[in-house]
Amino acid sequence: MLQAAAKTLSVATTTSVSRGILLSIRHYCKKTPAKLRVSEAVSGAELGANVKVQGWVRSVRAQKSHLFLHVNDGSSLQSLQVVASSELNDPLLTFGSAVEVTGTLKKSPNQKQLVELEAEQIHIVGKCNPLEFPFKIKERHSLEYIRQFPHLRCRTNAFSSLLRIRSEATTAVHSYFKENGFLQIHTPVITSNDCEGAGELFKIVPSGPDYEEEEHFFSVPAFLTVSGQLHLELMSGAFSKVYTFGPTFRAENSQSRRHLAEFYMVEAEVSFAQSLEDLTKVMEGMFRSATEHVLAHCAEDVDLFHKHVTPGHREIVEAMLKNGFPTITYSEAINILNRSSENFAFPTDWGCDLQTEHEKYLVKHCGNIPVFVTDYPYDLKPFYARDNQDHPEHTAAAVDLLVPGVGELCGGSLREERLDLLRARLQQAGLEDTYSWYLDLRRFGSVPHGGFGMGFERYLQCILGVDNIKDVIPFPRFSHSCVL
């Protein structure tokens, strides 16, 4: 009997302890808020739950009994409204300050927003003096103004939207190539070749006491890359479709709206290409796929630009997606320019290189949609461009994609796969020894192939309508710039 009582007491004690532990767990879970990003909160996730949101104050409005904040963490253009008792107000709770807010996510009575956060605690993580902060709470600053503060401009709506668009566009480019069977190649940033042949190179020189008497670290001159094309061509001898997406450098002494010393390039190479059409299909497909992806996934951010920064540009983008891209030859382009009534600053004779003013005019002439220009004069193109052997004009199988507001967006060509013609041109340029390895590519299993490159910043300019290239890259590097 005593044993039965002891057993009953043991079970009761165990049950009591278990219930106590369970209540403690429930109590702990109830008090532990779910951490949400602002984008998750404003979408209505965890409605009715106890949540924690971290971010920066975009606006503050104090009333007699209530305090209203808008908090943003960069995950969304839309901020989360926080409603709190005036008792939670603090002199350090200002525009630009960093906060951590805990409370209950509730349905908002305001029709302009789905939810609001009823705050129980507001912890100020980082203070901000709004008088010294260069961006003001009720002002819409121009891109020219915020460009003066490269270390702070990510705090503005316009530039945070740009960075989200840029990130999504990067994803879209990679997705297009992956879905179409391209292999990504990480081409080197440091190289010994000048792919473009223009000589606008940043030379790499070793620094430090161990290298005072050495001019070259790699025993030969080395430079920051201007293009990954030649390395992609090497890979195209084993893979039928390859691409790269990375930084490239040009030592152009320019401070114009069009040029950067460091920018990003998307480059692709296609083996067994029989005509320029094999390249233009990829260019147009990538442009359409990436743009449709960005418009679908960054609708609010793109709308900010099209409404407040570049009003009217949305119609241009829609026209680009609605219409096919026409193709004209270089000779046809020259004829169009010569028949126009425009007073161009640069000559338009056959054999001259097309300048930005010419490119923009051709785009407008073709309906203000992207246009391919093919078959440029042979002497205008680098040694690797395929000779059309079409005397007397003598053109190369090269193509540029011209787009509204920008001019040239993509440039490419079929590559000269015929060993004798390629060797003759390298000899003529005095480059046969330098590019002996390039000739080897034609000696061992060479196939007709071609490729192109697209300036990523110019692409962003095109779809957003932004005039200055320095406004579409996080940290613009250009001649005489202040580098962070």
Side-chain angles (χ1 to χ4, degrees):
M1 189 172 180
L2 288 175
Q3 288 179 346
K7 185 176 181 181
T8 301
L9 179 62
S10 175
V11 170
T13 302
T14 302
T15 303
S16 177
V17 170
S18 298
R19 285 176 180 171
I21 292 173
L22 183 60
L23 288 173
S24 296
I25 291 173
R26 286 176 178 172
H27 178 75
Y28 176 79
C29 292
K30 184 179 179 181
K31 292 298 182 181
T32 303
K35 185 177 176 181
L36 295 183
R37 292 182 299 157
V38 166
S39 60
E40 296 169 328
V42 297
S43 69
E46 302 290 336
L47 193 63
N50 187 239
V51 302
K52 178 193 293 183
V53 171
Q54 299 165 322
W56 293 266
V57 176
R58 289 294 178 87
S59 70
V60 185
R61 181 164 54 92
Q63 295 182 347
K64 185 176 181 180
S65 58
H66 288 88
L67 175 68
F68 296 89
L69 307 175
H70 279 95
V71 176
N72 194 288
D73 64 354
S75 62
S76 165
L77 176 61
Q78 187 179 353
S79 297
L80 174 65
Q81 176 165 286
V82 176
V83 182
S85 167
S86 57
E87 296 176 357
L88 294 180
N89 200 357
D90 189 301
L92 296 179
L93 199 57
T94 62
F95 172 61
S97 60
V99 296
E100 182 178 272
V101 184
T102 305
T104 304
L105 198 62
K106 295 187 174 182
K107 186 175 180 180
S108 175
N110 191 333
Q111 294 182 350
K112 293 183 179 180
Q113 56 200 25
L114 178 65
V115 299
E116 62 186 23
L117 180 59
E118 189 176 283
E120 298 169 2
Q121 292 181 333
I122 300 177
H123 173 56
I124 300 170
V125 179
K127 61 183 181 179
C128 175
N129 186 332
L131 298 178
E132 297 177 357
F133 194 46
F135 309 124
K136 304 308 174 187
I137 191 169
K138 293 184 178 180
E139 293 185 27
R140 181 174 287 132
H141 302 288
S142 68
L143 296 180
E144 289 76 15
Y145 176 78
I146 68 174
R147 199 185 306 133
Q148 301 175 69
F149 309 97
H151 57 304
L152 295 174
R153 65 177 178 168
C154 60
R155 315 280 183 95
T156 66
N157 278 343
F159 206 69
S160 63
S161 285
L162 179 278
L163 293 176
R164 283 189 293 272
I165 292 168
R166 185 182 173 102
S167 177
E168 202 62 51
T170 301
T171 299
V173 168
H174 285 298
S175 295
Y176 171 80
F177 283 119
K178 183 176 181 180
E179 291 167 4
N180 285 276
F182 282 78
L183 180 73
Q184 183 183 8
I185 302 295
H186 294 136
T187 55
V189 171
I190 299 175
T191 179
S192 61
N193 68 68
D194 176 8
C195 179
E196 299 295 323
E200 296 161 340
L201 301 164
F202 285 105
K203 188 175 182 179
I204 303 295
V205 178
S207 177
D210 293 339
Y211 305 104
E212 289 180 353
E213 297 182 1
E214 294 185 32
E215 183 180 1
H216 307 306
F217 182 81
F218 297 101
S219 75
V220 295
F223 312 93
L224 294 180
T225 183
V226 297
S227 171
Q229 179 210 312
L230 296 182
H231 294 93
L232 284 184
E233 279 202 64
L234 184 154
M235 293 295 174
S236 70
F239 304 96
S240 59
K241 295 180 179 180
V242 291
Y243 82 101
T244 189
F245 189 168
T248 52
F249 306 84
R250 302 284 167 85
E252 292 180 300
N253 190 14
S254 173
Q255 300 183 61
S256 76
R257 294 170 175 266
R258 290 176 51 81
H259 296 99
L260 293 167
E262 176 185 354
F263 55 97
Y264 277 69
M265 282 276 283
V266 180
E267 299 177 272
E269 202 74 21
V270 180
S271 297
F272 303 98
Q274 298 298 319
S275 69
L276 286 176
E277 188 179 0
D278 292 330
L279 302 182
T280 59
K281 284 181 179 179
V282 178
M283 292 185 200
E284 185 170 348
M286 179 186 65
F287 182 93
R288 290 183 181 280
S289 176
T291 305
E292 289 168 355
H293 179 100
V294 169
L295 294 180
H297 291 79
C298 294
E300 283 188 324
D301 293 312
V302 173
D303 283 346
L304 181 144
F305 275 86
H306 290 169
K307 289 180 180 179
H308 302 297
V309 181
T310 56
H313 193 71
R314 181 60 180 247
E315 289 75 17
I316 296 175
V317 175
E318 289 175 349
M320 288 192 283
L321 295 177
K322 181 180 179 181
N323 296 281
F325 299 175
T327 299
I328 60 175
T329 66
Y330 169 87
S331 296
E332 290 170 335
I334 291 297
N335 289 335
I336 292 170
L337 295 173
N338 287 334
R339 290 197 306 265
S340 75
S341 58
E342 294 284 321
N343 292 318
F344 296 112
F346 293 91
T348 57
D349 301 323
W350 200 98
C352 71
D353 207 354
L354 295 181
Q355 303 297 320
T356 302
E357 60 174 347
H358 305 146
E359 295 166 347
K360 290 184 176 181
Y361 179 86
L362 292 169
V363 169
K364 289 182 179 179
H365 176 84
C366 293
N368 211 30
I369 59 175
V371 55
F372 291 109
V373 179
T374 67
D375 303 310
Y376 282 77
Y378 185 72
D379 291 338
L380 290 180
K381 293 303 175 181
F383 66 86
Y384 48 75
R386 195 177 198 275
D387 189 345
N388 281 332
Q389 294 185 305
D390 51 349
H391 303 289
E393 284 190 326
H394 199 189
T395 62
V399 58
D400 287 346
L401 176 60
L402 313 182
V403 296
V406 173
E408 182 190 342
L409 175 65
C410 299
S413 72
L414 296 180
R415 317 309 189 191
E416 185 57 80
E417 85 282 5
R418 295 163 293 188
L419 181 60
D420 55 338
L421 294 180
L422 180 59
R423 180 184 286 117
R425 191 159 197 197
L426 285 172
Q427 287 175 343
Q428 184 181 13
L431 296 173
E432 186 175 10
D433 290 339
T434 303
Y435 289 97
S436 58
W437 63 270
Y438 193 72
L439 293 173
D440 278 350
L441 301 181
R442 272 56 177 175
R443 294 173 57 215
F444 306 116
S446 179
V447 299
H449 62 285
F452 69 91
M454 180 186 80
F456 187 58
E457 283 72 28
R458 288 190 180 184
Y459 168 73
L460 295 173
Q461 284 185 277
C462 173
I463 65 170
L464 297 177
V466 175
D467 185 50
N468 196 317
I469 198 170
K470 298 172 186 63
D471 294 327
V472 292
I473 189 169
F475 303 103
R477 310 288 198 232
F478 54 98
S479 177
H480 309 304
S481 68
C482 178
V483 180
L484 293 176

